[in-house]
Amino acid sequence: MTNVDKDYRYMATSDLFTELQKDSFKLDGENEKKICAALLKLLEDSSGDVQGLAVQCLGPLVKKIHENQLKEIVDKVTDHLLSKGSNTEVKDIASIGLKKIIAEVAPKDGPLVVKRITGRLIDFLRSDIEEKLEALDILSDIAGRFGSILAKEHETVQDAVLPHLTSNRTAVRKRAISCIAHIAVSLPDKHFNTLIQNLIQKADTLNKTEQISTLIQAIGSISRSVGFRMGKFLAQVLPILVKYAEFEKSDDELREHCFHTFESLILRCPKEVAPHIKQITDIALVYIKYDPNYAGYDDDEGEEMETEEAEEEDQGEDETYSDDDDLSWKVRRSSAKVVAAVISSRPELLEELYRSVVPVLLTRFREREENVKLEIFATLRDLLRQTVANKKLSNNSVVAQEKDQSPTAQLRKTIVPKLLPSLAKELKQKSFKIKIGAFQLLRDLTQVEDGLLTNYVKLLVPGIKSSLIEKNNNPNVKMETLSFLRALFSSHPPATFHPHLEALLPPILQAVSENYYKIVAEALRVCHEVIKVLRPSNSTQFDYHQHVQALFPAVFQKLKALDADQEVKECAIACTALLISSLGDDATIKAQTGECLRLFLERLGNEITRPAAIRALSVIGGSEISIDLSPILTEAITQLTTILRQNSRQLKQSSLVALDTLMTHRGAADVSGLSAKILSQLAPLISEADLHLSHLALTLTVDILKINPSAASQVRDTLYPQIQALIQSPLLQGLSLESLLALHAQLVQIRLDKFGFEVLLENLLSINKPKIPKQCVSSISQCIAVIVAHASNTQKDAAVGKFIQDVKKSKDESSRLLGLLTLGEIGRLVDLSGQPELHETLVAVLDSPSEETALPSAASFALGNVAVGNLSKFLPKLLHEVETHPKREYLLLHSIREVISRHSTTPEKIRELQAHMPAILPILYNHCQNPEEGTRNVVAECLGKLALVKAEELVPKLQQLGKSPQAPTRATAVTALKFAVVEQPHSIDPLLQAVIGDFLHLLQDSDLSVRRAAMLTFNFTVHNKPVLVTGILSKLLVQVFQETKIKPELIREVEMGPFKHRVDDGLDLRKAAFECMYTVLESCFQNLDVPAFLSHLAEGLKDTYDIKMLCHLMLSKLAIIAPAAVLEELETLVEPLRVTVTNKCKDNAVKQDLDRNEELVRSALRAVVSIARIPNVEQNIKFEEFLKVVRVGELGEKYETIRKDTESSADVDSADSLSRR
């Protein structure tokens, strides 16, 4: 490093830099001194390259050296920067060096660096030396990283920096603004208030435009840095911004800074700025058109888009117009950013924004400046994203979709007809940025509503063609064009494109032949959508053959290519598969089908293309066209069977699906001999460890048995042991259970010798053992019911008789339980009215002691399901039992619930149920005021489900019951509403939406149980169909928030021997309220007043264990989706979090209490980790101090573990959706 040859010095320094970056590199005392001295000398080296490399070494070096050497380096580099004798080059190197040191020095050495540099920088700034740019830069970096360490120097630093805001040099003023913004982050409230008041006062009183512009720019920068802390000054700042934004003598730069500050305040102080949004938006809409140097500026632009002739004339003027000094475009661009900030942060104003903002944005398509026009596009895209988000909240509402003023309706009726002609012209522009922006906007339009652009495709075709075929076009333009085309084809009716395919297909196929693999892959994806357009749902009305002749060779060429990128190969395989599946009867494709199938087989053998090939075989196998797969069928099935032995779950899953489609193919009977090989590989897949794979394996087994019934013997020998083990799993449910039932049904119908009905029944009965989980007994009973339903009448009667006798006479409770459940399952599938003893036998079991046995509930289940098989005979008996045996009413009402649930599935069953409703309803009404809550809940479920069957009668009756003077009746009525709300669209929805406010008004009821019932119904409704309550959400949340408070009048003391125990009767309702808050946050965030929500959440952080856990979850989510609001309320959140994480259990605490406290601490730390990820959270001094406590000792280890665990899975998508882009 001291060699006279600069090349040697350079290489030695380069080697040192490489070594310093290694964690294993250590320095002893002597070498440390030598290296530091050598590097400091190299900072003044005659070679610029050596100097540059030496300064790069400072960053990693300062992390490895001792304090004395660090002091020497900092002092020496600072000397170079501030010395009058240093030349410019050395000063520049020193500036870079100090920045490296500040950025990379260890936190523990931060105070030392700040102490050595800050005082000298302040003295330098106070001197009369002109060159102060670098000093301001360094001070800004120090404040940015070590702001809290500067606490003692805040006043001194401010006094040194503030005078430079009035410097004559623009660069100095900008550096001073940046420095003040960084300093403001860590300023205590007292100093911060003084700083802002000083800036506001000067901005309001000074006369020089240049100085005012600087001060407003400083206020905007501080706002971006400190966020919510600026909120309390909004009343003083906004009038100043409005005054200078509208002042005629303001220059363009001042206006631009005003609008930048508006934007920052809208995004950073959403609560305080809310009352001023309309005023700010109106000003922005005026200046988004501000173009004083353009002749058409004063014209009335508000109502209609310009004609094509007028635009052409404007474009001609643009070509001759040039003014390098015109900065008005910056005002227009910053105004557009303000509008975008309003759109992004105020989704509740969406309808109003469509009326006031969009017409103005549309007129700005005449914009001359490219940057401004792109900002207009971006603003419209923000609006469309908010429209999509708003639509998701109301997509189930019949009423909402019919509103003429809904955002989607406004877009469809008034906006798109004006927007599309203008966008079509933008696609012909020479600027590739404009084209990209236009296509991105068009793609977003397709996401708002299917078919939105149906009437405008013809307008877009010329622009699409030119974007794809022009040779000198930017690749990004082609990518955006293809991406838009894919979205367009997939979201519009196929018939829309039939007249335009002749024009669109050639440029798409030209893109398939491009060299850039990303364009090729995207073009193939577009071809995939084109195929669906050519022949939708196997339709033959459109003559697609001429297009196939061009499409197939282009795609086939890519399928054959061996040197293509993997993405291209996968897209080509998928596209070819869909071609064969959808258009395989076309002569062009039919001639090459054999070659394509051979290539698929080759791709199946390649590990890289195997997943795509498996999916392709599934697509072809499921084709409605008769495709001859015989050339590859045997080999394909063999290879797929081999794949089942691999470890990849995804490959196993897709292989099972492919095997199923191939085995059920028309020619599959020819390869039935392969069934033995397939079945031998299925046994290991049938396990409770993976129920979905079990479902696929069982489904494949059923299909094999349909093709090859003789395979039943192999199923018996190979698979049935695993099947029996699966039946005994308490996890068995859903699709895997359904496929298991289908398998038993198929086996019974085959009637294999020594594996027929009797053997299957015996096998199933042998599984039932004492203490087996009830869920397993239920699975066994369903399997038995299926085989009985498919048995002969003689076998059926014998089996039913056996189970009746088991229920009557067996002393084994497990046998009686199985008998009851099995009779219920059989009765649901088969009419058992021919069994005279059945009803009385089941009723007799209802009187068993329910505390000790599950038999009464099983009998209740059986009674209901037996009645399902023959309503006319069994339902009247059931209703009679309810009226004559009050002690059995709870269980008998459960039976009625079974009847109603099972008979609400198909139109025929619903009609049959409606015929019996006159007999059912009076009994249900009579039990609405039952003193037992459990009984009332069953009645409410019955009434709610009947409301879905006959809404026009039941909903008004429930309204009437909701006004009853009896509290139990009111609770039943509002609970019944919960069961009338279903997730899928239903004809009852408009009726419920009209009356739901009357029911949820019971949140204010005087009775505690009624309020809790209303709260649970509200929670259920928000979760399953939020649109029903969106219109009244704000009013309902007021009541919810009221119930989150601890009410002393509901707390009582209970004496338990010598001890007194406090009982909170309001706890259950309070838990329900917080659960409701969580659901509202999940489903209706955009309709939420987040600051009010957070204030009540802060109270929940001080409540009981369960409520704290819920609040921690909500806080974690809010930190992601509403970070600005969390920062505003952070002061109130820190203390309860601190109490929770530092809480210690008593020395005599039991293990359960220790575990609960540990889980609570971890839950709180997860919330703290989420908050710590919020940008600029370090500006909150109270939270930063709390974080220092959290990061120390045992608590710090937990915090770090949680931070690492959540880092990779942190959900930042929600936050991104709220960001500008």
Side-chain angles (χ1 to χ4, degrees):
M1 293 171 68
T2 58
N3 196 286
V4 293
D5 191 330
K6 68 177 182 179
D7 291 336
Y8 280 93
R9 296 198 302 275
Y10 180 87
M11 287 186 289
T13 310
S14 176
D15 292 341
L16 174 63
F17 180 64
T18 303
E19 292 300 318
L20 285 171
Q21 288 178 309
K22 297 177 181 177
D23 292 336
S24 58
F25 184 71
K26 305 293 180 184
L27 290 168
D28 57 36
E30 189 63 30
N31 285 328
E32 185 180 304
K33 291 179 181 179
K34 290 180 179 179
I35 288 175
C36 290
L39 275 178
L40 288 173
K41 186 176 179 181
L42 289 177
L43 293 179
E44 303 177 72
D45 197 275
S46 58
S47 168
D49 291 339
V50 175
Q51 279 183 312
L53 203 51
V55 81
Q56 292 294 325
C57 290
L58 291 178
L61 178 66
V62 294
K63 293 186 285 188
K64 298 178 181 292
I65 58 178
H66 293 90
E67 186 176 307
N68 290 335
Q69 299 304 320
L70 180 60
K71 287 179 184 178
E72 182 184 348
I73 288 179
V74 171
D75 290 344
K76 187 69 174 176
V77 177
T78 307
D79 287 342
H80 286 319
L81 177 68
L82 305 181
S83 173
K84 292 182 180 180
S86 299
N87 61 46
T88 304
E89 189 176 342
V90 172
K91 284 188 174 184
D92 290 341
I93 289 293
S95 172
I96 296 170
L98 278 178
K99 289 179 181 179
K100 286 281 182 186
I101 292 169
I102 294 165
E104 299 196 38
V105 70
K108 65 181 179 63
D109 293 324
L112 183 147
V113 173
V114 172
K115 183 179 179 181
R116 308 296 293 188
I117 300 176
T118 307
R120 299 183 65 184
L121 289 175
I122 291 171
D123 292 340
F124 184 78
L125 290 173
R126 286 173 171 168
S127 68
D128 56 358
I129 300 173
E130 291 186 5
E131 292 298 328
K132 298 178 181 178
L133 290 177
E134 301 299 341
L136 286 167
D137 256 352
I138 302 300
L139 195 56
S140 180
D141 287 352
I142 291 173
R145 186 168 183 213
F146 300 113
S148 57
I149 300 174
L150 275 176
K152 296 179 181 178
E153 304 288 340
H154 278 141
E155 273 192 277
T156 310
V157 174
Q158 278 189 70
D159 292 343
V161 176
L162 282 174
H164 292 87
L165 291 177
T166 57
S167 170
N168 294 326
R169 295 185 60 190
T170 303
V172 172
R173 294 199 302 272
K174 287 183 177 180
R175 298 294 202 290
I177 289 169
S178 174
C179 190
I180 289 171
H182 280 104
I183 293 168
V185 171
S186 54
L187 278 177
D189 285 343
K190 180 182 177 181
H191 294 305
F192 179 75
N193 295 346
T194 303
L195 170 64
I196 300 301
Q197 292 289 3
N198 185 17
L199 293 175
I200 290 172
Q201 183 183 0
K202 287 183 177 179
D204 199 24
T205 56
L206 291 175
N207 295 321
K208 288 187 178 181
T209 301
E210 190 177 70
Q211 293 178 342
I212 296 169
S213 179
T214 301
L215 292 168
I216 288 177
Q217 190 179 3
I219 292 172
S221 295
I222 292 171
S223 168
R224 280 185 285 277
S225 296
V226 304
F228 73 94
R229 294 177 73 189
M230 277 295 294
K232 56 188 173 185
F233 300 102
L234 228 60
Q236 297 169 267
V237 172
L238 282 177
I240 297 172
L241 296 177
V242 171
K243 179 175 77 173
Y244 289 120
E246 296 183 321
F247 188 49
E248 289 183 4
K249 295 183 179 179
S250 295
D251 64 14
D252 293 341
E253 186 177 3
L254 174 55
R255 284 200 177 95
E256 180 193 8
H257 293 325
C258 287
F259 283 114
H260 282 319
T261 307
F262 276 137
E263 179 193 9
S264 174
L265 293 172
I266 290 168
L267 294 174
R268 300 287 185 171
C269 309
K271 182 179 178 181
E272 292 82 359
V273 84
H276 310 282
I277 285 292
K278 187 177 187 309
Q279 182 186 18
I280 295 172
T281 306
D282 290 344
I283 296 171
L285 290 177
V286 170
Y287 282 93
I288 205 172
K289 301 180 287 186
Y290 172 73
D291 198 354
N293 296 314
Y294 175 50
Y297 168 59
D298 294 327
D299 294 344
D300 180 11
E301 304 171 332
E303 295 299 323
E304 299 293 335
M305 297 295 290
E306 294 180 13
T307 62
E308 184 174 353
E309 292 78 12
E311 287 206 4
E312 288 173 358
E313 185 179 331
D314 292 338
Q315 290 171 7
E317 292 177 7
D318 293 345
E319 291 172 3
T320 59
Y321 177 81
S322 175
D323 188 353
D324 293 338
D325 296 327
D326 178 20
L327 298 178
S328 63
W329 67 272
K330 292 187 176 182
V331 177
R332 299 195 297 277
R333 184 179 65 176
S334 57
S335 301
K337 287 179 180 289
V338 171
V339 175
V342 172
I343 291 169
S344 298
S345 61
R346 297 287 164 182
E348 71 276 9
L349 301 178
L350 194 58
E351 287 187 17
E352 175 58 31
L353 291 172
Y354 262 97
R355 287 190 291 270
S356 60
V357 170
V358 177
V360 178
L361 293 177
L362 294 181
T363 64
R364 295 316 304 156
F365 275 63
R366 69 190 295 177
E367 175 61 54
R368 300 176 294 109
E369 180 64 37
E370 182 181 273
N371 289 331
V372 182
K373 187 176 285 189
L374 290 173
E375 197 63 43
I376 299 295
F377 287 170
T379 304
L380 281 168
R381 292 185 68 199
D382 286 340
L383 189 75
L384 293 176
R385 291 191 196 101
Q386 288 288 19
T387 306
V388 173
N390 178 75
K391 188 179 177 183
K392 288 178 181 177
L393 292 175
S394 57
N395 61 355
N396 291 334
S397 172
V398 177
V399 176
Q401 292 301 315
E402 292 176 352
K403 284 176 61 179
D404 290 337
Q405 296 305 312
S406 69
T408 308
Q410 291 188 60
L411 185 67
R412 185 191 322 114
K413 293 178 181 179
T414 61
I415 308 302
V416 170
K418 297 177 182 179
L419 175 61
L420 262 294
S422 297
L423 278 177
K425 290 168 189 156
E426 298 299 333
L427 298 182
K428 300 174 186 176
Q429 296 284 345
K430 293 181 180 179
S431 167
F432 71 85
K433 290 183 179 179
I434 295 294
K435 286 184 179 181
I436 289 173
F439 277 119
Q440 288 173 339
L441 181 54
L442 283 167
R443 187 178 68 238
D444 287 349
L445 276 169
T446 64
Q447 308 303 314
V448 177
E449 185 178 63
D450 286 351
L452 188 62
L453 307 184
T454 298
N455 299 326
Y456 308 97
V457 173
K458 185 177 180 180
L459 281 174
L460 301 175
V461 169
I464 293 170
K465 284 181 62 179
S466 64
S467 297
L468 289 176
I469 63 178
E470 287 181 9
K471 293 183 179 179
N472 297 325
N473 241 342
N474 186 290
N476 292 330
V477 174
K478 293 184 179 181
M479 284 295 296
E480 289 297 339
T481 307
L482 292 167
S483 179
F484 162 65
L485 270 176
R486 182 154 63 100
L488 186 70
F489 282 130
S490 64
S491 59
H492 287 69
T496 304
F497 307 103
H498 288 166
H500 310 294
L501 281 176
E502 192 169 343
L504 288 174
L505 195 55
I508 293 171
L509 297 181
Q510 183 175 324
V512 172
S513 304
E514 288 271 357
N515 293 325
Y516 185 35
Y517 76 95
K518 285 191 174 294
I519 291 178
V520 177
E522 192 63 30
L524 286 169
R525 294 188 189 101
V526 175
C527 290
H528 197 277
E529 298 300 328
V530 169
I531 297 165
K532 299 174 186 177
V533 168
L534 290 175
R535 195 177 192 180
S537 303
N538 203 24
S539 170
T540 56
Q541 296 176 356
F542 175 65
D543 183 13
Y544 55 83
H545 297 286
Q546 57 174 327
H547 300 299
V548 172
Q549 292 173 6
L551 177 61
F552 180 76
V555 176
F556 184 56
Q557 192 66 31
K558 293 298 175 183
L559 178 68
K560 293 190 295 183
L562 298 176
D563 56 348
D565 183 84
Q566 182 183 348
E567 187 179 358
V568 173
K569 288 180 179 179
E570 290 177 353
C571 291
I573 290 169
C575 195
T576 308
L578 188 62
L579 270 169
I580 295 172
S581 173
S582 302
L583 308 170
D585 52 356
D586 179 86
T588 303
I589 297 177
K590 190 179 288 188
Q592 295 290 337
T593 298
E595 179 64 15
C596 290
L597 294 176
R598 185 189 63 77
L599 289 171
F600 286 148
L601 209 56
E602 286 183 10
R603 303 296 181 263
L604 187 63
N606 186 306
E607 189 175 345
I608 295 175
T609 55
R610 184 173 293 147
I614 294 173
R615 291 192 294 271
L617 290 173
S618 298
V619 170
I620 296 171
S623 172
E624 297 178 6
I625 302 170
S626 180
I627 307 294
D628 181 16
L629 296 180
S630 56
I632 67 155
L633 198 55
T634 302
E635 180 61 26
I637 290 175
T638 302
Q639 285 198 38
L640 290 170
T641 305
T642 305
I643 293 171
L644 296 178
R645 294 198 294 266
Q646 296 188 7
N647 290 328
S648 171
R649 181 180 183 273
Q650 185 179 359
L651 282 178
K652 288 179 185 177
Q653 189 172 310
S654 54
S655 296
L656 286 169
V657 173
L659 282 168
D660 194 31
T661 55
L662 291 175
M663 289 301 292
T664 54
H665 188 268
R666 291 179 179 82
D670 300 333
V671 291
S672 57
L674 291 172
S675 59
K677 184 180 293 186
I678 297 173
L679 290 173
S680 65
Q681 300 300 325
L682 296 183
L685 303 180
I686 300 174
S687 163
E688 68 173 354
D690 194 326
L691 290 178
H692 186 63
L693 276 182
S694 298
H695 155 65
L696 295 175
L698 291 169
T699 302
L700 178 56
T701 304
V702 172
D703 289 333
I704 288 174
L705 289 175
K706 290 177 181 177
I707 298 165
N708 183 20
S710 62
S713 58
Q714 188 179 1
V715 172
R716 176 193 61 199
D717 300 335
T718 309
L719 299 185
Y720 208 73
Q722 278 72 26
I723 292 171
Q724 284 186 300
L726 183 63
I727 295 172
Q728 297 176 59
S729 170
L731 303 176
L732 182 63
Q733 59 181 322
L735 291 174
S736 52
L737 178 57
E738 290 176 14
S739 54
L740 188 65
L741 297 177
L743 176 61
H744 279 88
Q746 188 65 35
L747 288 171
V748 170
Q749 293 175 67
I750 292 173
R751 292 179 171 80
L752 181 69
D753 188 30
K754 296 183 181 180
F755 200 55
F757 172 79
E758 289 81 6
V759 175
L760 285 171
L761 180 60
E762 184 181 346
N763 287 336
L764 290 168
L765 290 173
S766 67
I767 299 173
N768 188 40
K769 299 171 184 176
K771 297 183 180 180
I772 191 172
K774 187 179 177 182
Q775 178 60 37
C776 302
V777 180
S778 177
S779 300
I780 297 168
S781 67
Q782 290 180 62
C783 291
I784 293 174
V786 165
I787 64 172
V788 169
H790 289 84
S792 64
N793 290 334
T794 304
Q795 294 170 327
K796 196 178 301 179
D797 292 340
V800 172
K802 174 194 179 314
F803 291 120
I804 292 174
Q805 293 306 311
D806 284 348
V807 172
K808 288 176 65 176
K809 300 178 180 180
S810 177
K811 295 180 180 180
D812 180 12
E813 184 178 320
S814 62
S815 297
R816 295 185 72 195
L817 180 62
L818 178 62
L820 288 166
L821 293 177
T822 304
L823 286 171
E825 295 291 349
I826 295 172
R828 183 165 57 86
L829 302 173
V830 178
D831 181 3
L832 296 181
S833 57
Q835 300 290 336
E837 297 180 304
L838 179 59
H839 183 76
E840 288 71 19
T841 301
L842 295 177
V843 169
V845 182
L846 295 177
D847 295 326
S848 300
S850 58
E851 293 82 4
E852 302 174 4
T853 176
L855 295 179
S857 61
S860 170
F861 170 84
L863 276 169
N865 280 280
V866 166
V868 170
N870 191 329
L871 276 186
S872 301
K873 178 169 182 178
F874 290 109
L875 186 58
K877 292 181 179 181
L878 198 55
L879 298 175
H880 178 71
E881 290 287 341
V882 176
E883 292 179 325
T884 56
H885 295 84
K887 290 183 179 180
R888 301 173 181 169
E889 63 184 15
Y890 176 72
L891 293 169
L892 291 169
L893 286 169
H894 269 285
S895 301
I896 294 175
R897 185 193 64 179
E898 286 289 333
V899 172
I900 295 171
S901 299
R902 302 291 187 181
H903 259 76
S904 303
T905 53
T906 64
E908 291 179 5
K909 289 186 175 183
I910 288 174
R911 284 193 295 271
E912 187 179 359
L913 179 62
Q914 286 174 337
H916 294 275
M917 282 178 63
I920 298 173
L921 287 173
I923 294 174
L924 296 177
Y925 294 149
N926 289 338
H927 286 81
C928 282
Q929 53 186 352
N930 195 293
E932 295 293 330
E933 184 180 2
T935 301
R936 293 200 309 272
N937 286 340
V938 178
V939 171
E941 185 174 352
C942 293
L943 288 171
K945 290 183 176 179
L946 286 175
L948 293 169
V949 173
K950 207 168 186 179
E952 65 282 357
E953 177 183 341
L954 267 293
V955 173
K957 181 64 178 178
L958 290 175
Q959 268 186 289
Q960 182 184 339
L961 293 174
K963 299 173 183 177
S964 168
Q966 303 293 325
T969 303
R970 297 197 300 274
T972 304
V974 74
T975 303
L977 182 74
K978 177 172 73 174
F979 296 100
V981 176
V982 290
E983 190 172 355
Q984 298 302 319
H986 195 281
S987 58
I988 199 176
D989 291 347
L991 186 56
L992 287 181
Q993 195 164 22
V995 303
I996 197 165
D998 295 340
F999 288 94
L1000 296 181
H1001 181 72
L1002 293 174
L1003 286 167
Q1004 305 175 49
D1005 198 273
S1006 58
D1007 187 85
L1008 191 66
S1009 63
V1010 177
R1011 294 206 302 276
R1012 182 171 179 271
M1015 189 70 70
L1016 293 174
T1017 297
F1018 179 38
N1019 186 25
F1020 185 87
T1021 305
V1022 172
H1023 182 268
N1024 289 281
K1025 194 163 284 184
V1027 70
L1028 294 179
V1029 294
T1030 302
I1032 56 174
L1033 186 63
S1034 57
K1035 295 179 181 178
L1036 296 174
L1037 281 176
V1038 173
Q1039 302 305 319
V1040 173
F1041 292 154
Q1042 285 293 324
E1043 300 300 341
T1044 61
K1045 300 174 182 176
I1046 298 175
K1047 299 181 179 179
E1049 65 271 19
L1050 296 177
I1051 299 175
R1052 53 191 170 87
E1053 283 192 348
V1054 178
E1055 292 188 1
M1056 302 177 68
F1059 304 103
K1060 288 185 178 180
H1061 179 61
R1062 296 184 70 189
V1063 176
D1064 187 352
D1065 291 328
L1067 179 59
D1068 286 343
L1069 178 55
R1070 208 160 63 251
K1071 282 182 185 177
F1074 278 102
E1075 287 170 359
C1076 198
M1077 285 176 62
Y1078 181 79
T1079 307
V1080 169
L1081 181 62
E1082 288 280 320
S1083 304
C1084 301
F1085 170 71
Q1086 291 186 319
N1087 299 83
L1088 201 58
D1089 180 0
V1090 179
F1093 187 93
L1094 272 166
S1095 65
H1096 291 89
L1097 186 147
E1099 292 302 312
L1101 292 172
K1102 307 169 189 174
D1103 214 310
T1104 60
Y1105 171 83
D1106 292 330
I1107 292 175
K1108 282 182 179 179
M1109 295 287 282
L1110 264 176
C1111 289
H1112 294 155
L1113 283 173
M1114 289 189 276
L1115 189 53
S1116 296
K1117 188 168 185 67
L1118 281 166
I1120 294 167
I1121 62 177
V1126 173
L1127 286 179
E1128 284 194 60
E1129 299 292 333
L1130 196 52
E1131 296 283 333
T1132 61
L1133 301 173
V1134 170
E1135 190 54 36
L1137 287 171
R1138 185 200 303 275
V1139 170
T1140 299
V1141 300
T1142 56
N1143 182 56
K1144 301 291 183 184
C1145 291
K1146 296 179 181 178
D1147 294 338
N1148 60 349
V1150 297
K1151 185 177 184 301
Q1152 183 181 4
D1153 290 339
L1154 292 171
D1155 290 344
R1156 281 165 65 89
N1157 185 68
E1158 179 68 15
E1159 183 54 41
L1160 194 59
V1161 169
R1162 289 184 174 277
S1163 175
L1165 288 175
R1166 279 190 281 272
V1168 174
V1169 167
S1170 297
I1171 295 171
R1173 289 198 178 107
I1174 298 176
N1176 302 318
V1177 72
E1178 65 277 359
Q1179 65 195 334
N1180 190 294
I1181 298 172
K1182 193 172 181 180
F1183 182 76
E1184 278 297 292
E1185 291 173 353
F1186 167 55
L1187 212 53
K1188 290 177 183 176
V1189 174
V1190 168
R1191 287 172 170 163
V1192 174
E1194 183 182 349
L1195 200 58
E1197 293 175 6
K1198 294 177 186 175
Y1199 175 85
E1200 195 61 27
T1201 301
I1202 291 170
R1203 187 188 65 78
K1204 289 178 180 177
D1205 289 344
T1206 58
E1207 197 166 37
S1208 58
S1209 59
D1211 185 11
V1212 296
D1213 292 338
S1214 298
D1216 288 342
S1217 68
L1218 297 177
S1219 64
R1220 173 90 174 88
R1221 286 175 180 78

